[in-house]
Amino acid sequence: MAESSLPPASLLLILLFIFFSNAFNLPSAMDCNSSDRDALLKIKEQLGNPPELSSWLPATNCCAWDNSIICSETGRVYLVALFRLNVTAPIPSAYGDLPMLQTIQLDTMPGLYGLIPSSFAKLSHLEILDIIGTQVSGPIPDFLAKTNLSALTITNSKLTGSIPQSLSRLSNLRYIDLSSNMLSGSIPPGLLHGSFQFLILSNNRLTGQIPEDYTYGDIDTIDLSHNQLNGDPSFLFDITKPMTKIDLSWNELAFDMTKVRFPYHLTYLDLNHNHIKGRVSKSLKDINLGHFNVSYNDLCGEIPAGRFMIYHGADSYVHNNCLCGTPLPPCKK
């Protein structure tokens, strides 16, 4: 089936685009704060002076170095976005010497390794932490609760340990993507706040049940696929909920689907490789899903027909107990 054209991470990209777009309207002649320039030069040094940062030179305006640095109207650095640097180094601790920093982005840097520096605890204005495609390891530190994060993304890295409950103290946190790490333990309750929430924890080693408080709130996307979660997650499903994407595939979840009424705005629903029983819910006839998969479960009975069900092929239903009817073989009378 065709997947949604916009991945959940698009929210973070939109936020970053807003930052960059605003930057082009700032006065280019504004010189940067001298202590901020010293901190940036220290970051460059701690990264091993990569050639990609050749424009970062002493006694020059760091606000004009390149597009990876964005300053406020007062010359304070509030965004540092580094992409695809050929480095072999830990995350620079000198980030902590940029007191007005709001966004840190470290993207596709496989030579970046080590723990998240304790100096990040000093970044009380930090709103977006985006680390993708690195060797960053160790636990998610409690001191991140001292920041002002609204979006936390650390993906395709080497994080271990559990997700700390302390993150729930971040009252503006509404976007979490910790996918493709080695996180274990249970999912803490109350991680998300505000509107338009995203919870993406796929491809980890999480266990236990999904906390029921995630039935509340304005959650757009929940992706907990490829973990070891168990229990009954059907409290997440209600026709009035605003969710557009639910992916709980490849877990140990169990519930009876027969009378479940799925959110009307869903465009993506994947529940494959679980222990779901009963019949395929009739509510799915009225939901226009671009991606739908309930294969490898314990479903039985005739598949509902009509309306949007005609767009789901046989691969959406394979390896169940005794499903029948279009697009599978007819039910036996």
Side-chain angles (χ1 to χ4, degrees):
M1 306 301 298
E3 297 190 7
S4 175
S5 59
L6 285 177
S10 61
L11 170 67
L12 187 59
L13 295 177
I14 291 170
L15 291 172
L16 290 170
F17 175 78
I18 292 172
F19 273 112
F20 280 107
S21 296
N22 289 339
F24 295 125
N25 297 321
L26 298 178
S28 59
M30 176 61 68
D31 196 6
C32 67
N33 178 275
S34 59
S35 63
D36 286 359
R37 178 169 52 238
D38 292 342
L40 290 171
L41 292 172
K42 190 67 173 178
I43 289 172
K44 176 183 176 181
E45 178 186 351
Q46 292 176 349
L47 287 172
N49 296 306
E52 295 92 341
L53 303 183
S54 59
S55 65
W56 293 24
L57 297 172
T60 60
N61 180 6
C62 67
C63 297
W65 281 350
D66 53 42
N67 290 337
S68 64
I69 307 296
I70 297 180
C71 297
S72 69
E73 293 179 353
T74 59
R76 301 308 302 262
V77 173
Y78 71 83
L79 180 147
V80 181
L82 302 179
F83 302 86
R84 296 179 175 85
L85 299 187
N86 185 19
V87 300
T88 302
I91 298 177
S93 60
Y95 276 107
D97 297 326
L98 293 167
M100 305 309 294
L101 196 58
Q102 297 178 27
T103 297
I104 295 174
Q105 187 168 25
L106 297 161
D107 194 340
T108 317
M109 298 168 63
L112 196 70
Y113 64 86
L115 306 177
I116 297 173
S118 59
S119 61
F120 280 27
K122 298 188 291 182
L123 300 175
S124 60
H125 295 278
L126 187 65
E127 297 180 6
I128 297 175
L129 177 58
D130 183 30
I131 302 174
I132 300 174
T134 70
Q135 299 294 316
V136 170
S137 60
I140 300 169
D142 281 316
F143 57 69
L144 288 181
K146 297 181 179 180
T147 66
N148 190 35
L149 286 176
S150 61
L152 172 61
T153 298
I154 307 176
T155 67
N156 294 293
S157 296
K158 304 294 183 182
L159 294 178
T160 56
S162 60
I163 301 171
Q165 180 66 58
S166 59
L167 294 182
S168 64
R169 300 202 299 267
L170 291 163
S171 59
N172 295 318
L173 187 60
R174 59 189 178 93
Y175 185 102
I176 297 178
D177 186 351
L178 301 172
S179 57
S180 299
N181 282 284
M182 298 180 286
L183 296 168
S184 58
S186 59
I187 300 172
L191 292 176
L192 301 176
H193 306 276
S195 60
F196 203 41
Q197 300 169 4
F198 289 69
L199 182 65
I200 306 169
L201 304 173
S202 56
N203 290 283
N204 279 288
R205 303 170 182 176
L206 299 172
T207 56
Q209 299 186 11
I210 303 169
E212 289 199 19
D213 74 331
Y214 290 108
T215 190
Y216 309 108
D218 184 18
I219 300 181
D220 177 273
T221 293
I222 185 164
D223 185 351
L224 308 176
S225 59
H226 292 267
N227 280 288
Q228 301 162 31
L229 301 169
N230 56 47
D232 181 354
S234 58
F235 59 84
L236 294 172
F237 312 133
D238 186 272
I239 195 169
T240 63
K241 295 187 182 302
M243 293 183 186
T244 64
K245 177 176 180 176
I246 298 174
D247 191 344
L248 304 177
S249 60
W250 290 88
N251 278 288
E252 302 293 331
L253 300 167
F255 66 97
D256 189 325
M257 187 193 279
T258 306
K259 296 182 180 181
V260 170
R261 300 179 70 196
F262 288 94
Y264 182 75
H265 296 290
L266 274 182
T267 60
Y268 188 111
L269 177 63
D270 200 330
L271 302 171
N272 79 82
H273 284 85
N274 279 287
H275 304 294
I276 303 169
K277 62 182 181 180
R279 293 175 175 266
V280 175
S281 170
K282 292 182 179 179
S283 71
L284 293 171
K285 294 196 300 181
D286 299 316
I287 302 174
N288 187 8
L289 292 168
H291 175 95
F292 173 66
N293 194 337
V294 291
S295 61
Y296 291 88
N297 278 289
D298 303 318
L299 294 165
C300 195
E302 186 171 10
I303 297 170
R307 292 182 60 77
F308 293 116
M309 301 303 288
I310 63 173
Y311 299 114
H312 310 319
D315 56 340
S316 297
Y317 304 100
V318 296
H319 292 280
N320 276 280
N321 274 352
C322 48
L323 283 179
C324 57
T326 306
L328 299 180
C331 298
K332 297 179 181 179
K333 296 183 180 179

